[in-house]
Amino acid sequence: MKDRVIGAVTIGQAPRVDIMPELTVILGPEVQVKEAGALDGLSKEEIAAFAPKKGDYVLVTRLADGSSVKVAEQYITPRLKEKITSLFDQGIEVVALLCTGEFELVGTGLLVRPQPILYNVTQAVATGLKIGVMSPAADQIPQSRRRWQQVGTEQVVVAASPYGDVAELEKAADTLRHEHVQLVVLDCMGYTLAMKEKVRKITGAPVILARGIFARVLKELIG
């Protein structure tokens, strides 16, 4: 019987059938997850109005039909706040954000954000290392460079969508191999355990997976 309920908010559309099965394996069968999405109930035409423009902070997410979409943080943040507030208002004490993007968000309960968890875990182990960072889209590379520039001795940033052709992921991993990185960060909640293993085999380097680190911190928090 499930005796603990937590919330989970995606910047795309719920349910996130690509993320939750791997998270729930770590969280355990006694934990029930109530999902919500910032783009829930919107048509593709409505979502198109959220597309990033020059200078926007770019986010990549998944829709309910399995397709991926780019959206600008400025349009998504207000909708995220609404979904998070709604879950806390329902009496849920812990809400997980299913995105490694950088947001200014607070909640009336415990809001768990992947980005600072992923960043600080990587920073803690990357001293003296050349790191590789993989993000979903090429137009995210400049913001990824800014985010990771203080971690390790050198940073190599590549792009490969977790929602696209696996050949793109393999090519990006091969670039990191040629750059002789010593640690790889998969900087998106969309990357899977199978993708982590593929990148590890290609690069020969240890790999930090956002959803894996995040799920284990959640497990620690909820017991």
Side-chain angles (χ1 to χ4, degrees), residues 3 43 106 164:
D3 57 11
S43 67
V106 294

Short mmCIF file of all heavy atoms in Angstrom, two decimals, residues 3 43 106 164:
data_model
loop_
_atom_site.label_atom_id
_atom_site.label_comp_id
_atom_site.label_asym_id
_atom_site.label_seq_id
_atom_site.Cartn_x
_atom_site.Cartn_y
_atom_site.Cartn_z
N ASP A 3 1.92 4.75 1.06
CA ASP A 3 1.61 5.52 2.25
C ASP A 3 2.26 6.90 2.25
O ASP A 3 2.20 7.62 3.23
CB ASP A 3 2.04 4.76 3.51
CG ASP A 3 3.52 4.39 3.50
OD1 ASP A 3 4.27 4.90 2.63
OD2 ASP A 3 3.94 3.61 4.36
N SER A 43 -2.73 23.06 -26.64
CA SER A 43 -2.52 22.50 -27.97
C SER A 43 -1.11 22.84 -28.45
O SER A 43 -0.43 23.71 -27.89
CB SER A 43 -3.54 23.09 -28.95
OG SER A 43 -3.29 24.47 -29.15
N VAL A 106 9.92 29.26 -5.53
CA VAL A 106 9.80 28.90 -4.12
C VAL A 106 8.44 28.25 -3.92
O VAL A 106 7.56 28.36 -4.77
CB VAL A 106 9.92 30.14 -3.19
CG1 VAL A 106 11.32 30.73 -3.28
CG2 VAL A 106 8.88 31.19 -3.54
N GLY A 164 15.56 12.29 -29.24
CA GLY A 164 15.78 12.13 -30.67
C GLY A 164 16.48 10.83 -31.02
O GLY A 164 16.43 9.84 -30.29
#
